[in-house]
Amino acid sequence: MAEERRFRSASGAPIALRRRQHSASCRELAVRGPRLQLRSLSAATSAVWLAAYGLFALSENSMVLSAAIFISLIGLIIYLHFVKIDQESLLVIGSLGIQVTSSYASGKESTTFIEMGQVKDVVINEAIHMQKVIYYLCILLRDPEDPQGVSEVVPLFQSSKPRLDCLIEVYKSCQEILEQRKTAPQSS
Amino acid sequence: ENSPAPLPERAIYGFALFLGSWFGFILYLIWAYIPESWLFSLGLTYWPQKYWAVALPVYLLVAVGIGYVLLFGINMMSTAPLNSTHTVTDNYAKKQQQKKFQEEAIPALRDIPISEVNRMFFLPEK
């Protein structure tokens, strides 16, 4: 069963949260950001080409125009493949682990898997980021030496940056799955 | 011991500094404005170049302006990144002692772990 709800990101952009329950101990939460707008793409391209035409009018060198076309093409490809993240998803499997996937606009997907033995908790933390204080969801990893300590913090949903209402939904879903491992019998 | 109240010694220090700063300022004005030939005729020959009378204040002002930008940059550099454990705990919290719970007493101040805080805020118990 899947349900989709609309929220806002920290900067005000509209995002959508989709929750799917695959089984009693497996849930997938995906945050989808806004897709590349045609108007911002045309605005950027026109700005680059107008600047190149202005340089061409000053310098009478036609290489400027071809360089501008080349730069805008390469820049667009690099942006779509390395920068623009369309969807970030979190797959929580109760006894196995947590998988974090980022899908880029060019179709590339980058995945990280953290096994459940290393996961201490999934919490909403607040920190200072670029002259603002933001809430963000993060996975706390266990410290092998210190049972109460935290060895590493893995922030999630870094590019879509949902606001607190969306984070609370994701947090509650994750906690329902994580609570099951306390009641389930410990193996080894 | 250390009170900000006025004292006779403080009044004397203040007046000495006041006279000293006026003297320094008049000396700076003499050095900057009076032509070299007049100073030479008085016998004062071994003074720094007049170039520095303009250069040093400019250096100071530019340093003050850069200081604003530098302070901003240092602040941004020392802010812990989002993936650092310093946003969650620190040395004092790790080494804190657990005080025993006493009846009818206010519980001792301690650092509450972030998992507990989250559960309290975001998972309302019915």
Side-chain angles (χ1 to χ4, degrees):
Chain A
M1 84 187 172
E3 47 178 79
E4 180 151 329
R5 283 184 59 182
R6 297 197 186 285
F7 289 101
R8 293 221 162 248
S9 80
S11 50
I15 56 174
L17 169 72
R18 203 184 56 188
R19 287 202 321 206
R20 292 182 61 182
Q21 173 123 356
H22 295 286
S23 84
S25 61
C26 175
R27 252 183 224 167
E28 182 177 4
L29 299 129
V31 172
R32 175 184 293 277
R35 268 153 300 283
L36 183 64
Q37 309 272 23
L38 184 61
R39 55 173 176 234
S40 50
L41 178 63
S42 343
T45 313
S46 327
V48 170
W49 287 1
L50 275 175
Y53 190 71
L55 274 179
F56 168 68
L58 281 174
S59 67
E60 301 293 326
N61 183 6
S62 64
M63 278 299 290
V64 178
L65 295 175
S66 20
I69 296 178
F70 196 60
I71 286 175
S72 47
L73 271 178
I74 298 289
L76 181 65
I77 291 177
I78 289 179
Y79 177 71
L80 290 180
H81 195 67
F82 292 108
V83 174
K84 178 99 187 64
I85 293 183
D86 261 349
Q87 169 174 303
E88 292 165 302
S89 78
L90 192 67
L91 177 68
V92 185
I93 307 177
S95 48
L96 198 60
I98 301 182
Q99 173 170 292
V100 183
T101 312
S102 302
S103 320
Y104 291 82
S106 65
K108 168 174 107 161
E109 286 197 2
S110 116
T111 317
T112 312
F113 179 74
I114 304 168
E115 58 170 329
M116 207 41 110
Q118 287 182 354
V119 169
K120 184 165 186 283
D121 203 1
V122 172
V123 298
I124 298 180
N125 193 13
E126 32 186 332
I128 301 176
H129 175 73
M130 302 286 272
Q131 290 85 43
K132 275 203 296 202
V133 175
I134 57 164
Y135 290 100
Y136 65 105
L137 196 72
C138 56
I139 304 179
L140 303 177
L141 300 186
R142 255 186 245 278
D143 196 3
E145 291 108 41
D146 179 14
Q148 303 293 325
V150 174
S151 79
E152 216 182 298
V153 171
V154 179
L156 303 173
F157 302 125
Q158 285 289 275
S159 85
S160 42
K161 287 201 178 53
R163 287 189 177 165
L164 190 60
D165 43 7
C166 179
L167 289 180
I168 292 179
E169 294 293 326
V170 180
Y171 174 75
K172 284 184 187 164
S173 288
C174 291
Q175 286 296 320
E176 278 168 23
I177 309 259
L178 289 179
E179 269 166 7
Q180 293 172 3
R181 58 177 183 163
K182 285 198 204 82
T183 56
Q186 299 280 352
S187 58
S188 78
Chain B
E1 308 93 342
N2 300 337
S3 89
L7 295 172
E9 294 88 22
R10 290 177 177 168
I12 297 174
Y13 299 154
F15 191 58
L17 266 178
F18 171 72
L19 286 181
S21 55
W22 263 115
F23 175 68
F25 186 52
I26 301 290
L27 192 65
Y28 171 76
L29 286 180
I30 290 175
W31 167 48
Y33 279 108
I34 296 192
E36 282 211 324
S37 47
W38 294 15
L39 289 176
F40 284 171
S41 69
L42 280 175
L44 305 161
T45 53
Y46 200 62
W47 277 20
Q49 277 187 319
K50 284 181 188 288
Y51 161 78
W52 293 108
V54 180
L56 283 177
V58 173
Y59 271 129
L60 268 175
L61 288 175
V62 171
V64 167
I66 289 183
Y68 275 112
V69 180
L70 196 69
L71 189 66
F72 194 70
I74 289 178
N75 270 330
M76 280 181 74
M77 275 174 53
S78 7
T79 309
L82 291 187
N83 64 346
S84 112
T85 50
H86 291 285
T87 53
V88 174
T89 183
D90 67 358
N91 276 333
Y92 298 104
K94 284 187 201 156
K95 292 190 173 63
Q96 62 180 344
Q97 299 134 331
Q98 311 279 351
K99 295 209 173 68
K100 273 205 322 277
F101 174 71
Q102 290 168 331
E103 293 287 332
E104 308 272 334
I106 299 175
L109 197 65
R110 68 179 179 106
D111 180 61
I112 305 177
I114 185 172
S115 310
E116 235 178 279
V117 174
N118 264 248
R119 271 194 285 274
M120 204 163 43
F121 276 145
F122 304 125
L123 294 180
E125 304 293 327
K126 285 170 275 284

